[in-house]
Amino acid sequence: MSQPPITELNDRTRTIFKVVVESYLESGAPVGSRTLSKIGGLNLSPASIRNVMQDLEEAGLLASPHTSAGRLPTESGLRLFVDGMMQAAEPTAEERRAIESQIAGSGPIETALAAATSALSGLSACAGVVMVPKREAVLKQFSFARLSARQALAIMVGADGSVENRLVEISPVVSDGALVEAGNYISARLSGLTLSDALVRLDSEIRGQKAALDQASAELVRNGLAMWSLDANERPVLIVRGQSNLLDETAAADLDRVRQLLDELENKEEIARLIDSAREAQATRIFIGSENNLFSLSGSSVIAAPYRDAGGQIVGVVGVIGPTRLNYARIVPMVDFTAQALSRLMK
C-alpha cells in the first residue's frame, strides 16, 4: 500500500500520528488511545482518537500487533515521519567533542576511522560502520610459486608489510624459470609503485623494448598485476564496531530479531555494498527495514553519510545500523556530523 503524502493528513490526524510515532520511538511499546487522550493539547476523547488511529491503520501508517493492543508505526509510517515530520536535533557540544577527539588523536587514517566509528557507535547505541577509502597497495616484493601445470600462487608483499596470496591461471608452457624471472622483474623494476602505476610502467617498457622479459614472462607479469589491481578496486574495506550495543535491555523481548541482525552483520561484503550505495547521495541516507534487502529479515535501519577527500571527491561512507526504533532526530545529525569530521580529517 502506498503511503499518503503528509499534506493529505489533516491537522488532527497529523498530530495524533506524530505523537504515536514519537511515543513508540521513545518507549518501544505500542501506543493506545487512552494513553494519547491523557496527553495535553489533544483535547480528544479516547473514542475520537481510536477512529483517527483506525484511519491511519487503513492508510498503512500504523499497525496493531495484537487485537487489543495499541498502535505502532509501520515502516511506511516511519518513512513518512522521517521525511516529513521529524525535527532534527543537532549533536550537543559534548557529543561533537567526543567524536572529534577520537578522530584527532588516532594516528593513521584507518585507526582514526575505526575510532570515529567506535565513538559514533557508543553515542548512538547502535553498531557503527565505516567504509575505508579504497587505496591500492604499494609493491615491495612479488613472487610466483607453481602449484600445478596450469596454476601458480602469486605472493605480494606490500610496502606496509602486508602479505597477500592469489591463485593465477598459467599456460602449461610457462617454465619454472619464467615464474622466477617474472617475480624478480616485479620486485626489481616495479617496487615502490602502486599496482596501476606498475602496469603503466610495464606496458611502457615493453613498448620501448626495455623490459628484460620474454613474451611468456611479460604476459605473466601483466596478468598478475591486472588481477590484483582489479581485486583491490572492487573489494571494499569495512570496519564494524559496537555490535554489543544491540544487546541492550530491550533485546530480551525480541531475541529472534537481534540474532538475525547479528547474523546479518557477519556478512561484511553485503553490508559494504549497501553502505557503499550511500555514495550516490549528497547527504545522509536512511534505509528503513525492508527498504534494503540485507536487513529486511531483522527489520533494521541503516543511517549512512558519505565523506570526502581534500578534492571534494567521495572516498568513503560512515553510518550506524540498529533497530527501526531509532531516535532518528538525534542520530541522523550525529552521523552527518561524523561524516563532516572525517572529511576534515582527509584534507
Side-chain angles (χ1 to χ4, degrees):
M1 180 184 300
S2 61
Q3 66 183 38
I6 190 70
T7 53
E8 290 187 6
L9 302 180
N10 60 41
D11 290 343
R12 183 175 67 173
T13 302
R14 191 159 47 241
T15 299
I16 290 175
F17 173 69
K18 185 172 184 289
V19 172
V20 170
V21 175
E22 290 176 340
S23 297
Y24 168 73
L25 293 180
E26 181 178 351
S27 69
V31 184
S33 57
R34 188 168 298 278
T35 300
L36 290 176
S37 68
K38 297 177 182 178
I39 296 176
L42 288 180
N43 297 320
L44 293 171
S45 67
S48 297
I49 294 174
R50 277 195 297 272
N51 289 335
V52 173
M53 293 173 74
Q54 181 63 39
D55 292 340
L56 288 167
E57 186 171 354
E58 291 175 359
L61 299 176
L62 298 182
S64 179
H66 306 290
T67 304
S68 58
R71 277 22 176 238
L72 48 77
T74 62
E75 289 180 3
S76 294
L78 286 174
R79 171 55 63 188
L80 180 66
F81 173 79
V82 167
D83 289 347
M85 307 181 73
M86 182 179 74
Q87 294 180 330
E90 290 300 315
T92 65
E94 184 178 353
E95 290 168 342
R96 292 196 297 270
R97 282 195 299 270
I99 294 170
E100 290 179 325
S101 63
Q102 288 286 347
I103 294 174
S106 300
I109 181 64
E110 287 81 3
T111 305
L113 291 172
T117 308
S118 295
L120 182 58
S121 169
L123 291 170
S124 66
C126 296
V129 293
V130 65
M131 184 79 69
V132 177
K134 297 176 181 178
R135 297 193 297 174
E136 283 190 283
V138 175
L139 290 168
K140 180 180 180 182
Q141 190 174 350
F142 208 105
S143 61
F144 293 93
R146 182 186 295 279
L147 298 178
S148 67
R150 293 183 176 276
Q151 279 192 326
L153 186 67
I155 306 161
M156 182 182 72
V157 179
D160 60 355
S162 60
V163 180
E164 296 190 44
N165 303 319
R166 297 285 187 282
L167 282 176
V168 293
E169 300 295 325
I170 60 174
S171 169
V173 301
V174 173
S175 66
D176 290 344
L179 291 174
V180 173
E181 182 183 13
N184 289 341
Y185 176 84
I186 295 175
S187 298
R189 299 286 299 169
L190 306 179
S191 178
L193 300 177
T194 64
L195 293 166
S196 56
D197 288 343
L199 277 168
V200 171
R201 177 176 291 184
L202 173 66
D203 288 338
S204 175
E205 293 197 355
I206 289 175
R207 284 195 305 270
Q209 298 182 339
K210 297 178 182 178
L213 293 169
D214 61 27
Q215 184 176 353
S217 296
E219 193 65 23
L220 183 60
V221 171
R222 181 185 287 111
N223 289 344
L225 293 177
M227 174 199 67
W228 226 296
S229 181
L230 179 65
D231 179 70
N233 286 331
E234 291 186 346
R235 183 184 56 186
V237 179
L238 188 76
I239 298 173
V240 181
R241 292 287 186 272
Q243 294 97 316
S244 60
N245 287 332
L246 304 172
L247 300 173
D248 59 12
E249 65 275 5
T250 65
D254 202 358
L255 282 178
D256 288 341
R257 187 197 65 78
V258 174
R259 288 195 191 99
Q260 181 65 47
L261 175 55
L262 291 175
D263 286 344
E264 290 163 344
L265 285 172
E266 290 298 313
N267 192 344
K268 289 191 176 182
E269 186 174 344
E270 289 298 320
I271 298 174
R273 289 196 184 99
L274 171 64
I275 297 297
D276 202 40
S277 68
R279 286 174 180 265
E280 304 166 5
Q282 294 301 310
T284 306
R285 190 168 182 182
I286 305 169
F287 303 90
I288 299 175
S290 59
E291 291 177 356
N292 70 81
N293 291 330
L294 177 59
F295 295 108
S296 59
L297 292 178
S298 63
S300 303
S301 288
V302 179
I303 302 172
Y307 61 92
R308 303 170 186 275
D309 63 12
Q313 297 296 313
I314 293 174
V315 293
V317 179
V318 64
V320 299
I321 301 171
T324 54
R325 189 182 70 81
L326 290 175
N327 186 341
Y328 294 93
R330 174 174 172 265
I331 296 176
V332 170
M334 192 181 296
V335 170
D336 183 60
F337 177 81
T338 304
Q340 294 175 27
L342 290 178
S343 296
R344 291 191 291 272
L345 173 71
M346 304 297 290
K347 295 181 179 179

